[in-house]
Amino acid sequence: MVSRLAWLLRRIDAEPLGWELERPNVMLLGTLTHQVFEELFQVSRPIPDSATIGSQIEPLLEPAIRTHAPFLRAAQWQVERKHLASSIHKAALAWREVLVTLKADILGTEEWLQGTLDGLPIHGQADILLGLPDGRLLVVDYKRSSANSRRPRMQKGYDSQANLYRTMLQTGGPKSEDNAALLDRLRAGDTIGIVYFMTNDQTSLSDALVVESGVIPGWEVLEGDVAHLAMGLIRERLREVSAGQLSLNREDDTQFFDKQAGVKPYALDNSAL
């Protein structure tokens, strides 16, 4: 959506091979948070109580750090480890409250989905899929950030990630057919809402107005289609690259995406080109 050139360079593995000191950046912290959440909130298991969450954060975080960020095990990162564990604990308690209040069933976690967009195959991995008592589904993406970073693009209609997951569910479904409960819900044709759970400030940004919305702390409903402009732009870009057209970015693109679309144009920093 942001840059056709950046997309191409990534597809052909032609991005610069940079080097920097190991540090817990946003992407890494998000990966660690995701892994702990995946272990805490699982399909076909009761939603853990507060005491269980409190006792499990550090034991679940340790193998995640060992796998993805072994440097964090060093003594000089002790304060950062404690802060990370504390923030994940706070977020997990808030997310538990959301699940309990919604009376939600966890239908899938880290679920690989596939579908089509204008005849083109698309796929992606949704963090968690929920079933509500009224039959609706919610596709949820965890974000290691605050609502201020996501809300503007949803309000402006330039959000796309969760909507693409919804499109996959509507035009295809899970890559695996082993999840019978999820397949049954999809065959029932229930409506699908999207939710971003922002772990830094425990806010849920959604396009779904559920009965319990008013009593869930931090639940915000964004009115209108949060993705219509993003999807229009993605379709335009796909038509261009399908026709072999690769337009370069212009100097005002950064300001457009940052100010008008509410999207941080990280793609423009991926290469000196």
Side-chain angles (χ1 to χ4, degrees), residues 213-271:
S213 295
V215 297
I216 298 177
W219 186 283
E220 296 183 23
V221 178
L222 285 301
E223 297 182 357
D225 188 340
V226 301
H228 68 290
L229 293 177
M231 297 307 297
L233 189 53
I234 288 172
R235 287 185 164 96
E236 178 184 334
R237 296 288 187 259
L238 286 173
R239 285 192 294 268
E240 291 174 359
V241 298
S242 296
Q245 299 172 0
L246 195 69
S247 301
L248 301 182
N249 288 91
R250 296 293 182 258
E251 289 183 353
D252 58 355
D253 281 356
T254 298
Q255 183 174 1
F256 166 76
F257 283 106
D258 197 19
K259 304 299 182 184
Q260 292 182 243
V263 176
K264 294 296 182 185
Y266 299 116
L268 301 182
D269 298 326
N270 287 348
S271 169

Side-chain angles (χ1 to χ4, degrees), residues 2 57 68 90 94 102 118 120 127 154 182 214 226 242-243:
V2 173
I57 294 296
H68 300 288
K90 185 176 182 180
L102 289 175
D118 294 349
L120 291 173
D127 289 338
M154 297 179 75
L182 177 57
V226 301
S242 296

